[in-house]
Amino acid sequence: MSPSGIFAHIARDGDGSSVGVWGAFTLRTAFQPIFAFHENTLAIAAFEGLIRPYRHGQPVQPAAFLAALPVGDRLQVETLARTLHLANAATCLPESASVFVNFDPSIFVDRSIASAALSDTRNTLAQVGIKPGRVVCEVTEQRSASQQVLRDFVRSFRQAGFRIAIDDYGAEDSDIERIRVLRPEIVKFDAHWVARLMETGPGLGLLKAMVGIFAGQGITTVFEGIEESRQIGLAEQAGVAMVQGFALARPELAPASFATFPRTAMPVARRGRGQPVHSMAGLAGETFGPRFGRKVAP
């Protein structure tokens, strides 16, 4: 689908946000902040774009929406989701914040698809006024249809000025090989793996060692799925650069007031037990609950 074809599926909502239309579904962007550690403080460094489908005004599980799509629609819907996130990022997010958008490697079955993805993304950025350097292309955990196509995809996006992130790293042989081959700028650790290792001293030591190895290679690390306030301190002990999860902030539907969201660093020690470091309640956010907290969509 051409860029103009994708934009034909996007409309401006009455609240100023961009929404996607796909058949009977309305697609909205939710942004979740990613926080960076700096001298015992936390500050927002980036946002991840997540898709939130609705049918007849009612929320639908993203996984259920994707599972119901015909195989031939997956590529177009993923392109639509990224375009939607970038359009909303241009109007809702502070210009200093990076934007993470997801790419499913299983749909890149040949070079033409990867080339079209780059062309579509660059055209979208030109239309919405975002520079490639702000965008992090997050390669999700799905198995690649072609390792060579995936390598070509990563190389072409990096040459165009985008950064590359690997999602759900868990130290399996396949994960280590992905890092070796793709040489990402950012690695996001698997939430369940991190939570399990944090429960023991040796496990935390392993996390610290791996974070140190990545840092020595110039790779920025992120711990996802931080859902308990005590995990924030453990993440800081492990030396990870950035953290993301419900204990910090839940995803919020655009156009929540992200552009005016507090940018000043906050001391880690000020967090309340069981409370987000930044609560965005009342900022027109979603209220779906924990079952929508895991990333399950483009």
Side-chain angles (χ1 to χ4, degrees), residues 22-25 27 51 53 62-78 80 297-298:
W22 193 262
F25 293 92
L27 307 179
I51 203 68
F65 165 70
L66 289 176
L69 286 174
V71 175
D73 288 356
R74 284 295 303 271
L75 175 61
Q76 296 177 20
V77 170
E78 177 170 291
L80 173 59

Short mmCIF file of all heavy atoms in Angstrom, two decimals, residues 22-25 27 51 53 62-78 80 297-298:
data_model
loop_
_atom_site.label_atom_id
_atom_site.label_comp_id
_atom_site.label_asym_id
_atom_site.label_seq_id
_atom_site.Cartn_x
_atom_site.Cartn_y
_atom_site.Cartn_z
N TRP A 22 -9.90 0.62 10.15
CA TRP A 22 -9.65 -0.62 9.42
C TRP A 22 -10.90 -1.49 9.51
O TRP A 22 -11.14 -2.11 10.52
CB TRP A 22 -8.44 -1.36 9.98
CG TRP A 22 -7.99 -2.45 9.06
CD1 TRP A 22 -8.28 -3.78 9.13
CD2 TRP A 22 -7.17 -2.28 7.89
NE1 TRP A 22 -7.71 -4.45 8.08
CE2 TRP A 22 -7.01 -3.56 7.31
CE3 TRP A 22 -6.57 -1.18 7.29
CZ2 TRP A 22 -6.27 -3.76 6.15
CZ3 TRP A 22 -5.83 -1.38 6.13
CH2 TRP A 22 -5.68 -2.66 5.57
N GLY A 23 -11.69 -1.45 8.47
CA GLY A 23 -12.96 -2.18 8.50
C GLY A 23 -13.85 -1.62 9.59
O GLY A 23 -14.08 -0.41 9.68
N ALA A 24 -14.32 -2.50 10.47
CA ALA A 24 -15.20 -2.10 11.56
C ALA A 24 -14.43 -1.60 12.77
O ALA A 24 -15.03 -1.22 13.78
CB ALA A 24 -16.10 -3.26 11.97
N PHE A 25 -13.11 -1.57 12.67
CA PHE A 25 -12.28 -1.22 13.83
C PHE A 25 -11.77 0.21 13.74
O PHE A 25 -11.40 0.70 12.67
CB PHE A 25 -11.08 -2.16 13.93
CG PHE A 25 -11.44 -3.58 14.27
CD1 PHE A 25 -11.65 -4.50 13.27
CD2 PHE A 25 -11.57 -3.98 15.59
CE1 PHE A 25 -11.99 -5.81 13.56
CE2 PHE A 25 -11.90 -5.28 15.91
CZ PHE A 25 -12.12 -6.21 14.89
N LEU A 27 -8.66 2.37 15.33
CA LEU A 27 -7.36 2.12 15.95
C LEU A 27 -6.82 3.41 16.55
O LEU A 27 -6.77 4.44 15.87
CB LEU A 27 -6.37 1.58 14.91
CG LEU A 27 -6.83 0.36 14.11
CD1 LEU A 27 -5.75 -0.06 13.11
CD2 LEU A 27 -7.17 -0.79 15.03
N ILE A 51 -0.71 -0.02 19.90
CA ILE A 51 -2.00 0.10 19.23
C ILE A 51 -3.13 -0.33 20.17
O ILE A 51 -2.97 -1.27 20.95
CB ILE A 51 -2.03 -0.74 17.93
CG1 ILE A 51 -3.10 -0.21 16.97
CG2 ILE A 51 -2.23 -2.22 18.22
CD1 ILE A 51 -2.80 1.14 16.41
N PRO A 53 -7.15 -1.16 19.65
CA PRO A 53 -8.29 -1.28 18.75
C PRO A 53 -9.63 -1.13 19.49
O PRO A 53 -9.75 -1.51 20.66
CB PRO A 53 -8.17 -2.71 18.19
CG PRO A 53 -6.92 -3.28 18.79
CD PRO A 53 -6.58 -2.45 19.97
N PRO A 62 -5.75 -6.20 21.83
CA PRO A 62 -4.91 -6.13 20.63
C PRO A 62 -4.57 -7.49 20.04
O PRO A 62 -4.57 -7.66 18.82
CB PRO A 62 -3.66 -5.39 21.13
CG PRO A 62 -4.15 -4.55 22.26
CD PRO A 62 -5.21 -5.38 22.93
N ALA A 63 -4.29 -8.47 20.90
CA ALA A 63 -3.95 -9.80 20.40
C ALA A 63 -5.12 -10.42 19.64
O ALA A 63 -4.93 -11.07 18.61
CB ALA A 63 -3.53 -10.71 21.55
N ALA A 64 -6.33 -10.22 20.15
CA ALA A 64 -7.51 -10.76 19.49
C ALA A 64 -7.74 -10.07 18.15
O ALA A 64 -8.11 -10.72 17.15
CB ALA A 64 -8.73 -10.60 20.38
N PHE A 65 -7.51 -8.77 18.11
CA PHE A 65 -7.65 -8.03 16.85
C PHE A 65 -6.68 -8.55 15.80
O PHE A 65 -7.06 -8.82 14.66
CB PHE A 65 -7.42 -6.54 17.12
CG PHE A 65 -7.20 -5.71 15.88
CD1 PHE A 65 -8.23 -5.48 14.99
CD2 PHE A 65 -5.94 -5.18 15.61
CE1 PHE A 65 -8.02 -4.71 13.84
CE2 PHE A 65 -5.73 -4.42 14.47
CZ PHE A 65 -6.77 -4.19 13.58
N LEU A 66 -5.42 -8.72 16.19
CA LEU A 66 -4.42 -9.19 15.24
C LEU A 66 -4.68 -10.62 14.79
O LEU A 66 -4.50 -10.96 13.62
CB LEU A 66 -3.03 -9.09 15.86
CG LEU A 66 -2.48 -7.68 16.06
CD1 LEU A 66 -1.14 -7.72 16.77
CD2 LEU A 66 -2.35 -6.96 14.73
N ALA A 67 -5.12 -11.46 15.73
CA ALA A 67 -5.38 -12.85 15.39
C ALA A 67 -6.52 -12.99 14.39
O ALA A 67 -6.56 -13.95 13.61
CB ALA A 67 -5.70 -13.65 16.66
N ALA A 68 -7.45 -12.04 14.41
CA ALA A 68 -8.61 -12.11 13.51
C ALA A 68 -8.31 -11.56 12.12
O ALA A 68 -9.11 -11.73 11.20
CB ALA A 68 -9.78 -11.34 14.13
N LEU A 69 -7.15 -10.92 11.95
CA LEU A 69 -6.82 -10.33 10.66
C LEU A 69 -6.45 -11.42 9.65
O LEU A 69 -5.72 -12.36 9.98
CB LEU A 69 -5.64 -9.38 10.78
CG LEU A 69 -5.87 -8.03 11.46
CD1 LEU A 69 -4.53 -7.32 11.62
CD2 LEU A 69 -6.83 -7.18 10.66
N PRO A 70 -6.90 -11.31 8.41
CA PRO A 70 -6.38 -12.19 7.36
C PRO A 70 -4.87 -11.98 7.23
O PRO A 70 -4.36 -10.87 7.45
CB PRO A 70 -7.10 -11.70 6.10
CG PRO A 70 -8.33 -10.99 6.61
CD PRO A 70 -7.93 -10.38 7.91
N VAL A 71 -4.16 -13.03 6.88
CA VAL A 71 -2.71 -12.95 6.78
C VAL A 71 -2.28 -11.81 5.85
O VAL A 71 -1.32 -11.08 6.13
CB VAL A 71 -2.13 -14.29 6.28
CG1 VAL A 71 -0.62 -14.17 6.05
CG2 VAL A 71 -2.42 -15.40 7.27
N GLY A 72 -3.01 -11.62 4.77
CA GLY A 72 -2.65 -10.58 3.82
C GLY A 72 -2.80 -9.17 4.34
O GLY A 72 -2.26 -8.23 3.75
N ASP A 73 -3.52 -9.00 5.46
CA ASP A 73 -3.74 -7.66 6.01
C ASP A 73 -2.68 -7.27 7.04
O ASP A 73 -2.59 -6.10 7.41
CB ASP A 73 -5.11 -7.58 6.68
CG ASP A 73 -6.25 -7.55 5.67
OD1 ASP A 73 -5.96 -7.53 4.46
OD2 ASP A 73 -7.42 -7.56 6.10
N ARG A 74 -1.90 -8.23 7.53
CA ARG A 74 -0.98 -7.94 8.64
C ARG A 74 0.03 -6.86 8.29
O ARG A 74 0.31 -5.96 9.09
CB ARG A 74 -0.24 -9.23 9.06
CG ARG A 74 -1.06 -10.20 9.86
CD ARG A 74 -1.46 -9.64 11.22
NE ARG A 74 -0.33 -9.23 12.02
CZ ARG A 74 0.31 -10.04 12.86
NH1 ARG A 74 -0.05 -11.30 12.98
NH2 ARG A 74 1.32 -9.60 13.58
N LEU A 75 0.60 -6.94 7.10
CA LEU A 75 1.60 -5.96 6.69
C LEU A 75 0.99 -4.57 6.62
O LEU A 75 1.58 -3.59 7.11
CB LEU A 75 2.19 -6.34 5.34
CG LEU A 75 3.18 -5.34 4.72
CD1 LEU A 75 4.39 -5.14 5.63
CD2 LEU A 75 3.62 -5.81 3.33
N GLN A 76 -0.19 -4.44 6.05
CA GLN A 76 -0.84 -3.14 5.90
C GLN A 76 -1.22 -2.56 7.27
O GLN A 76 -1.07 -1.36 7.51
CB GLN A 76 -2.06 -3.27 5.01
CG GLN A 76 -1.73 -3.67 3.58
CD GLN A 76 -2.96 -3.85 2.72
OE1 GLN A 76 -4.02 -3.34 3.05
NE2 GLN A 76 -2.81 -4.58 1.63
N VAL A 77 -1.71 -3.42 8.16
CA VAL A 77 -2.11 -2.93 9.48
C VAL A 77 -0.89 -2.52 10.30
O VAL A 77 -0.93 -1.51 11.02
CB VAL A 77 -2.94 -4.00 10.22
CG1 VAL A 77 -3.14 -3.62 11.69
CG2 VAL A 77 -4.29 -4.19 9.54
N GLU A 78 0.21 -3.25 10.18
CA GLU A 78 1.42 -2.84 10.90
C GLU A 78 1.91 -1.49 10.38
O GLU A 78 2.31 -0.62 11.16
CB GLU A 78 2.52 -3.88 10.76
CG GLU A 78 3.81 -3.41 11.45
CD GLU A 78 4.87 -4.47 11.56
OE1 GLU A 78 4.67 -5.42 12.33
OE2 GLU A 78 5.90 -4.33 10.89
N LEU A 80 0.05 0.81 9.01
CA LEU A 80 -0.92 1.78 9.49
C LEU A 80 -0.65 2.14 10.95
O LEU A 80 -0.69 3.32 11.33
CB LEU A 80 -2.33 1.22 9.34
CG LEU A 80 -3.48 2.04 9.94
CD1 LEU A 80 -3.53 3.44 9.33
CD2 LEU A 80 -4.81 1.32 9.73
N ALA A 297 1.00 -5.73 20.20
CA ALA A 297 0.57 -5.22 18.89
C ALA A 297 1.68 -4.43 18.25
O ALA A 297 2.65 -4.05 18.91
CB ALA A 297 -0.68 -4.36 19.06
N PRO A 298 1.57 -4.14 16.95
CA PRO A 298 2.58 -3.32 16.29
C PRO A 298 2.73 -1.98 16.97
O PRO A 298 1.76 -1.46 17.51
CB PRO A 298 2.04 -3.17 14.86
CG PRO A 298 1.14 -4.33 14.66
CD PRO A 298 0.54 -4.60 16.00
#
